[in-house]
């Protein structure tokens, strides 16, 4: 069963800061271009309502929830800025040499949108 409906008040403490949520240049470019609207991490980097700043752009976190890698769909991968799950998987594995891709492994999903000024 997915935990995607967890109320943000029940979330565990953050394990890192929002400044570390999106750091790789290609990912920053995808966010700024509007093709990347989510980021998966092995820890929780942001609270709902928190604002991330990237190269002068501001993005508000709308949802934070836990998801297993096995629950990932092509639609989720598109929100990450990839064509499909396999493209996303191969890219992630290239960043983390030796990391296994286990369907039961859980990650934190951070969904965001541009702040309307």
């Amino acid at each position: 069963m997915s935990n995607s409906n967890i109320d943000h008040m029940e979330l565990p403490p953050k394990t890192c800061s929002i400044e570390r949520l999106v750091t790789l240049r290609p990912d920053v470019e995808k966010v700024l271009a509007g093709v990347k609207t989510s980021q998966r991490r092995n820890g929780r980097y942001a609270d709902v309502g928190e604002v991330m700043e990237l190269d002068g752009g501001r993005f508000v976190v709308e949802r934070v929830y836990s998801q297993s890698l096995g629950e990932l769909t092509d639609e989720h991968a598109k929100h990450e800025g990839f064509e499909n799950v396999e493209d996303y998987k191969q890219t992630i594995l290239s960043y983390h040499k030796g990391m296994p891709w286990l369907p039961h492994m859980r990650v934190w999903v951070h969904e965001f949108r541009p702040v309307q000024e």
Side-chain angles (χ1 to χ4, degrees):
M1 181 173 178
S2 170
N3 288 336
S4 61
N5 292 326
I6 290 177
D7 183 286
H8 72 274
M9 297 303 288
E10 298 175 28
L11 296 175
K14 292 186 341 182
T15 57
C16 203
S17 67
I18 195 169
E19 291 81 19
R20 304 286 308 148
L21 183 60
V22 180
T23 57
L24 296 175
R25 193 75 224 160
D27 288 341
V28 171
E29 296 296 333
K30 287 178 183 180
V31 171
L32 294 172
V35 297
K36 180 175 179 62
T37 59
S38 69
Q39 177 72 43
R40 282 159 177 76
R41 290 288 196 168
N42 65 351
R44 204 167 75 73
Y45 285 47
D47 291 318
V48 172
E50 215 172 337
V51 174
M52 168 177 66
E53 296 193 24
L54 297 173
D55 291 355
R58 293 168 43 85
F59 303 85
V60 63
V61 175
E62 293 195 307
R63 290 182 72 208
V64 178
Y65 58 93
S66 177
Q67 179 184 61
S68 73
L69 293 178
E71 293 175 296
L72 216 61
T73 66
D74 286 345
E75 188 63 27
H76 293 132
K78 284 181 173 54
H79 289 286
E80 284 275 358
F82 295 92
E83 287 298 312
N84 54 47
V85 171
E86 189 61 25
D87 186 25
Y88 174 75
K89 174 183 173 181
Q90 293 309 318
T91 301
I92 294 302
L93 292 177
S94 77
Y95 295 157
H96 304 286
K97 302 288 187 212
M99 181 187 106
W101 185 272
L102 305 172
H104 65 274
M105 191 169 119
R106 298 199 74 79
V107 294
W108 285 97
V109 183
H110 305 77
E111 295 179 356
F112 46 84
R113 65 167 175 76
V115 172
Q116 305 301 334
E117 306 281 352

